[in-house]
Amino acid sequence: MKAVVITGFGAAPQLTELPIPEPGPGEVLVRLHAAALNPFDWKVADGALQGTVEHLFPLVMGSDGAGTVERVGTGVNLFRPGDTVYGQFMNLAHGRGSYAEYALAAEHGRIARMPDDLPFPIAAALPTASVAAYQAIEAARPDTGHLLLINGASGGVGQSAIQFAANQGARVLATATRDIADHLRALGADETIDFTAAPTADQVLAAHPDGIDAVLDLVTHPGEDGIDTLAALLKPGGRYISTNHAADVDALAGREIHAVNLTAAPSRAELEALADLTAAGKLRITVDAEIPLADAPTAVARARSGNVRGKRVILL
């Protein structure tokens, strides 16, 4: 099978041939038709989890994918050949990932059935981004009329978060450049903030001098400036959610701010619910680019530069 692998931390991704794996007891072999590019994929390739999790090289890149069950191992009861499934396939200790024509997954792992009429590229775009968005909005606990700032709203997580927050009655403030502002408002953002025109915090404070209720920060990384200025926008009792583990929880608690460093992990029930919402048109997923597997190594390099306007998906 064709797969995109790295041979060590920091190595350039390369397209290669690998044997098709055989499902062991409790495992399913999935013929993947699409895989999503996520920032987490190249962070892992750069060694983000080095020393924390065992890695086997060559390591197939990627986590999220969607496809059709090809074969099942002994003892598997939840899935059978021909089922359409999607989810997360990364298994670093065994060198497995989703940038490949075939992938193994545990029957009770992070995969779920998907509606037959849900396109594979859309399904592949869901697991990491939309689960993170869903769990982040749950952590933010927006109520009707609450002001929620989404810092970094133009990517896959941000676009899903806008929709989840708007569905809960929140008034969503979304950072975005002008070229995507109309699209984000169509998804449910009440206001868009062009962060290239003036500092985000200054614009929010000018429009909402009494403060806001929650911040979902998808941008700031540990050690970077920005947390304090965004946190200063929050009313006492406000909530600050960081998907990059950049929040100093104790320091913010001293300012009467509840902070959460979110690590998203999908359950099967959440995956099934997200797929159903998307198939029903209640969750809109924007696929920014569909990329042939042969072009995936180059696409990873381009994606590192940012400027994301939705999800990028590898076609397998």
Side-chain angles (χ1 to χ4, degrees), residues 159-180:
Q159 292 191 25
S160 289
I162 288 170
Q163 296 172 75
F164 292 135
N167 285 340
Q168 294 193 29
R171 294 171 59 198
V172 179
L173 320 177
T175 64
T177 50
R178 291 183 179 180
D179 59 313
I180 198 173

Side-chain angles (χ1 to χ4, degrees), residues 111-133:
I111 63 169
R113 284 289 309 273
M114 53 179 268
D116 292 336
D117 59 348
L118 184 63
F120 289 114
I122 298 296
L126 282 171
T128 292
S130 291
V131 168

Side-chain angles (χ1 to χ4, degrees), residues 230-247:
L230 293 179
L233 299 170
L234 291 166
K235 301 172 184 177
R239 303 180 76 84
Y240 196 107
I241 314 301
S242 169
T243 58
N244 292 312
H245 286 237

Side-chain angles (χ1 to χ4, degrees), residues 263-308:
T263 299
S267 66
R268 176 172 288 116
E270 286 173 331
L271 289 171
E272 290 174 345
L274 288 174
D276 288 341
L277 284 172
T278 307
K282 296 179 180 179
L283 176 63
R284 294 169 56 188
I285 303 299
T286 303
V287 173
D288 185 46
E290 295 185 348
I291 302 154
L293 180 59
D295 295 339
T298 303
V300 170
R302 287 198 304 266
R304 286 174 176 271
S305 66
N307 299 318
V308 178

Side-chain angles (χ1 to χ4, degrees), residues 131-142 148 168 213-216 237-243 258-263:
V131 168
Y134 174 79
Q135 294 182 353
I137 296 304
E138 288 294 296
R141 298 182 184 176
L148 166 67
Q168 294 193 29
D213 301 284
V215 171
L216 170 53
R239 303 180 76 84
Y240 196 107
I241 314 301
S242 169
T243 58
H258 180 80
V260 174
N261 286 312
L262 182 75
T263 299

